[in-house]
Amino acid sequence: VMDFEFSPQQLAFVDEVEQFLDEHDDPDVFDVTRENMAQIVDTPARRAFMALLGEQGWLGITWPKEYGGKEGDGVYEHLLNEALARRGGPQIGKGVGIVGKTIIRHGSEKMKQEFLPKILRNEVEFAVGYSEPNAGSDAASMQLKATRDGDGWRLNGQKTWTTSAHFAEWYWVGARTDPDVAKHAGITLFLVPLDQPGITVKAIWTMGDERTNEVYLENVFVPGECVVGEVNRGFQ
C-alpha cells in the first residue's frame, strides 16, 4: 500500500518554514495579487529574501553535498515552494533547478566553481531563452544562430517571452549551432552575460500589467567556455 501522508520530518520542516516566513513577512516580498508572477525574484527586496533562504540551506536541499547541498528528497523543495506560493512570495526555481542541476551534471569544472556557490547564496539571477517567435512549445524549432568565431561563437537572432531578461545577469540560451542536421540534433546551450554588447531587451507588457521581454541578439560574441555541456547536444 502506498503511503501518501507526509512524514513527521516533512511536517516539522513545513512548521519551520512557516515560522521563518512569519518572521520575515514583508509586503515588498509577498504579494498574492501577482498570482503566478509572484514567483520571480525581480526586486532587491526579493533578492535579499532569497539570500536569507540560502543562509538557511534551503536553496540546495536536493543538491549533492559535494556542491553545497543537502541531498534531501525533492518533496522538501515542493513543500518549501508551496509555502512560499501560498503567500505570494518568490520561489526557488530555474537557478537552483534548470541551471544549477544541469551545471552539476554537464557543466565544466570552471562553470561549477563560478556559478554553483553563487546560486546557493542567491547572488545571481538567470533568464531562460528557449522560446522564439516561431518556436514556442516546439523548442526544437529554435533558429537563433550561433556561428563559430575563433575559440568562441557569434549569436544572431531573437528570443521572446524571456520574463527575467530585464533584471537577470546571465542568459541561459539555446542556439542552433548546426543547421544541416535534424532539428533536435543541432542545438547548443550557452550561458551569456546579459550586459554583453549586441543584446537588446524590449518589454512586452501583459494584460495583468506584468513584464516579459523580447531579446534581440546582434553579433553577440560568446567565448567557447560559455558552452554548457557538449556542442550540438543542448536539446538532450
Side-chain angles (χ1 to χ4, degrees):
V1 178
M2 287 292 288
D3 180 8
F4 291 103
E5 295 302 313
F6 293 120
S7 70
Q9 292 91 334
Q10 289 159 359
L11 292 171
F13 174 70
V14 172
D15 287 342
E16 190 186 349
V17 168
E18 293 292 356
Q19 186 181 339
F20 179 86
L21 296 181
D22 285 342
E23 288 166 9
H24 295 88
D25 195 18
D26 179 350
D28 288 334
V29 174
F30 300 98
D31 182 358
V32 289
T33 67
R34 290 188 70 186
E35 297 181 344
N36 193 42
M37 295 293 278
Q39 66 184 287
I40 61 173
V41 188
D42 57 349
T43 63
R46 289 169 153 250
R47 286 185 82 140
F49 171 76
M50 292 307 274
L52 291 176
L53 285 193
E55 285 172 19
Q56 297 289 312
W58 292 345
L59 296 183
I61 296 175
T62 59
W63 281 19
K65 286 180 180 161
E66 65 177 301
Y67 298 116
K70 292 189 167 181
E71 294 182 15
D73 293 333
V75 68
Y76 285 96
E77 225 165 67
H78 289 284
L79 291 168
L80 175 59
N81 270 348
E82 192 172 59
L84 291 164
R86 195 180 297 118
R87 298 177 186 232
Q91 293 161 48
I92 61 168
K94 53 188 176 288
V96 168
I98 295 169
V99 177
K101 289 177 185 176
T102 305
I103 289 176
I104 286 171
R105 197 170 271 197
H106 299 287
S108 65
E109 209 45 52
K110 185 175 191 296
M111 228 170 232
K112 288 175 185 172
Q113 285 173 8
E114 176 169 1
F115 289 106
L116 297 180
K118 285 182 183 169
I119 291 170
L120 290 189
R121 295 193 298 263
N122 201 69
E123 289 174 0
V124 59
E125 284 297 325
F126 300 91
V128 172
Y130 298 153
S131 297
E132 295 178 8
N134 297 306
S137 51
D138 180 15
S141 294
M142 66 176 71
Q143 297 302 316
L144 178 83
K145 237 159 94 178
T147 44
R148 278 271 182 207
D149 181 352
D151 293 337
W153 301 82
R154 290 272 169 195
L155 269 52
N156 282 281
Q158 180 192 351
K159 295 288 180 182
T160 192
W161 315 128
T162 303
T163 301
S164 305
H166 61 293
F167 61 83
E169 289 87 31
W170 287 86
Y171 205 14
W172 177 263
V173 65
R176 188 153 300 283
T177 37
D178 188 345
D180 301 321
V181 293
K183 66 181 183 178
H184 293 83
I187 292 169
T188 300
L189 267 177
F190 294 89
L191 259 173
V192 184
L194 270 158
D195 60 1
Q196 197 82 329
I199 296 181
T200 307
V201 177
K202 290 191 175 169
I204 303 172
W205 291 96
T206 69
M207 288 164 65
D209 208 28
E210 291 283 359
R211 178 175 175 170
T212 182
N213 301 283
E214 294 177 297
V215 181
Y216 298 88
L217 297 97
E218 194 176 346
N219 218 22
V220 175
F221 181 73
V222 183
E225 64 186 28
C226 288
V227 171
V228 183
E230 289 177 52
V231 172
N232 291 335
R233 287 190 58 79
F235 195 88
Q236 286 72 16

